[in-house]
Amino acid sequence: MDGGVTRIPRSRPDGASTRLADIAAQAKVSEATVSRVLNGKPGVSAATRQAVLTALDLMGYERPQRLRQRSNGLVGLVTPELDNPIFPAFAQAIEKALTQHGYTPVLCTQLPGGAPEDEFTELLIDRGVSGIVFVSGLHADVTARMDRYSRLTDRGLPIVLLDGYSDQIDAPFISPDDRLAARLAVQHLVDLGHERIGLAVGPRRFVPVIRKIEGYRQAMAQLLGSAEVDELISHSLFSVEGGQAAAVKLLERGCTGIVCASDLMALGVIRACRDRGLGVPEDVSVVGFDDSPLIAFTDPPLTTVRKPIGSMASAAVETLVEEINGAPARHVELVFQPELVVRRSTGSGPLVNR
């Protein structure tokens, strides 16, 4: 004791310690409440207990051994490369939800030239995982074989698949409404006075790309009467460089508004515009997709269609946990609505400026 305040050892080499008051201030509770939580005493609500533990984590202190939750088991999480900030955001949201359910996540990140998805899957099975969540995996590729997933469901392993769909896999899918996402973006640009609106998307073989194209075509036909829009669709890679390459074609075809299949592609489109001496949004309006972390701080802040990451992650984990607990797997797709977030990369088009 020091002046009546208990010190809690800090797990750092310098041997520093922190007062109960520091944790209490961070958690917005009393010091007595912090003491009860740390000593495992009753009389504290689950929400308050979690607030204290979160405060410990945020301040960089190890939880006392008695407060460490025993894992219900391992759950695999297979994602694409983490260069695109939407995938770390998904991974963090899914891992948080798994932890809240008492499961320990095992993250497997695919890298170009690295271990393929099937190899990660076998590794996870060898480790005895209770289930696997696949994010934007081969299930999103219409040219890939889907029996790799059927083999998992046939052996009774619970799986959930995000961002992609196949009627060949007897498992639950979690998806954003990609058709609606494209329509929201086109509607926004039409409302601003644009009619020459291009679409920069990834390779044709991916389900989210196919669906965005469908939504884009429908919106262009209904809102502008444009039935023939093939020349306004540019396929490339889901990257800054891919967006830049796609934009070169679309700008040559006179587009004053460009809808992109990812925020990274949108940043590439902005780069291509500036390379040509065009201002965004003065000359060309750009809409992204995802609303990745930090995207609000780009130059200019990016108008984008927000993917509901939190809701999708929670639904994926809830569905997986139900399966782990014995609920039968359902071949169902849960579709979540995206949201248009208007910032400063979009502005008045030629129809308004006339």
Side-chain angles (χ1 to χ4, degrees):
M1 301 286 288
D2 180 16
V5 179
T6 304
R7 288 185 178 273
I8 302 166
R10 183 166 186 163
S11 299
R12 293 196 325 193
D14 59 12
S17 62
T18 186
R19 296 178 182 271
L20 287 177
D22 298 331
I23 300 172
Q26 178 69 37
K28 296 182 173 58
V29 298
S30 68
E31 294 177 39
T33 298
V34 173
S35 179
R36 295 185 74 84
V37 171
L38 296 180
N39 289 296
K41 301 293 185 182
V44 181
S45 70
T48 300
R49 180 180 181 278
Q50 186 60 48
V52 172
L53 296 179
T54 300
L56 276 176
D57 296 341
L58 290 173
M59 297 174 74
Y61 298 98
E62 285 189 20
R63 298 183 183 187
Q65 187 69 39
R66 71 171 72 89
L67 299 180
R68 297 178 191 173
Q69 186 177 22
R70 185 171 181 178
S71 175
N72 289 332
L74 303 177
V75 169
L77 173 56
V78 182
T79 72
E81 72 283 351
L82 301 182
D83 293 344
N84 186 334
I86 196 63
F87 295 128
F90 254 131
Q92 185 174 33
I94 293 170
E95 289 179 343
K96 179 180 178 181
L98 285 170
T99 301
Q100 289 173 342
H101 282 277
Y103 289 91
T104 301
V106 181
L107 178 62
C108 297
T109 303
Q110 299 181 73
L111 299 172
E117 181 179 310
D118 292 341
E119 190 172 320
F120 276 134
T121 300
E122 289 304 317
L123 175 66
L124 291 169
I125 291 173
D126 289 344
R127 295 295 184 274
V129 294
S130 301
I132 303 177
V133 178
F134 294 92
V135 179
S136 295
L138 291 171
H139 64 279
D141 186 341
V142 297
T143 66
R145 293 179 56 179
M146 298 299 150
D147 58 352
R148 54 174 44 88
Y149 302 106
S150 300
R151 288 195 295 270
L152 299 179
T153 57
D154 288 346
R155 66 195 299 175
L157 181 70
I159 65 172
V160 174
L161 305 110
L162 277 75
D163 255 354
Y165 177 78
S166 172
D167 56 11
Q168 302 175 43
I169 308 172
D170 189 19
F173 293 82
I174 309 292
S175 305
D177 191 334
D178 288 296
R179 297 181 184 91
L180 176 60
R183 182 180 181 86
L184 289 173
V186 172
Q187 179 75 68
H188 174 61
L189 293 175
V190 170
D191 289 344
L192 289 172
H194 296 272
E195 60 178 4
R196 193 72 174 167
I197 300 170
L199 178 66
V201 287
R204 303 172 189 271
R205 67 182 189 274
F206 294 116
V207 172
V209 170
I210 295 169
R211 290 178 170 181
K212 284 187 176 72
I213 291 174
E214 291 173 352
Y216 166 79
R217 288 185 183 278
Q218 292 169 0
M220 292 291 284
Q222 293 172 2
L223 300 175
L224 294 172
S226 303
E228 298 298 327
V229 292
D230 287 351
E231 69 168 0
L232 301 182
I233 300 173
S234 183
H235 293 272
S236 189
L237 300 177
F238 287 107
S239 65
V240 173
E241 293 76 16
Q244 187 172 4
V248 170
K249 299 177 183 177
L250 296 175
L251 293 173
E252 288 175 350
R253 294 164 188 170
C255 292
T256 64
I258 299 178
V259 176
C260 304
S262 76
D263 290 336
L264 289 186
M265 293 190 81
L267 297 182
V269 169
I270 293 172
R271 179 192 289 178
C273 291
R274 289 177 173 165
D275 286 348
R276 288 177 165 240
L278 300 172
V280 176
E282 296 80 10
D283 301 304
V284 181
S285 288
V286 181
V287 182
F289 177 71
D290 283 336
D291 198 26
S292 315
L294 303 180
I295 211 67
F297 305 101
T298 57
D299 180 23
L302 185 66
T303 294
T304 188
V305 180
R306 177 179 294 158
K307 182 182 288 187
I309 297 172
S311 299
M312 291 175 63
S314 295
V317 172
E318 291 284 350
T319 303
L320 187 73
V321 170
E322 287 180 5
E323 284 190 60
I324 293 173
N325 291 334
R330 296 175 298 154
H331 183 211
V332 62
E333 182 178 25
L334 304 180
V335 180
F336 290 77
Q337 287 202 346
E339 173 190 1
L340 178 70
V341 181
V342 179
R343 298 192 180 103
R344 296 207 300 272
S345 66
T346 50
S348 299
L351 295 183
V352 172
N353 292 330
R354 286 176 183 172

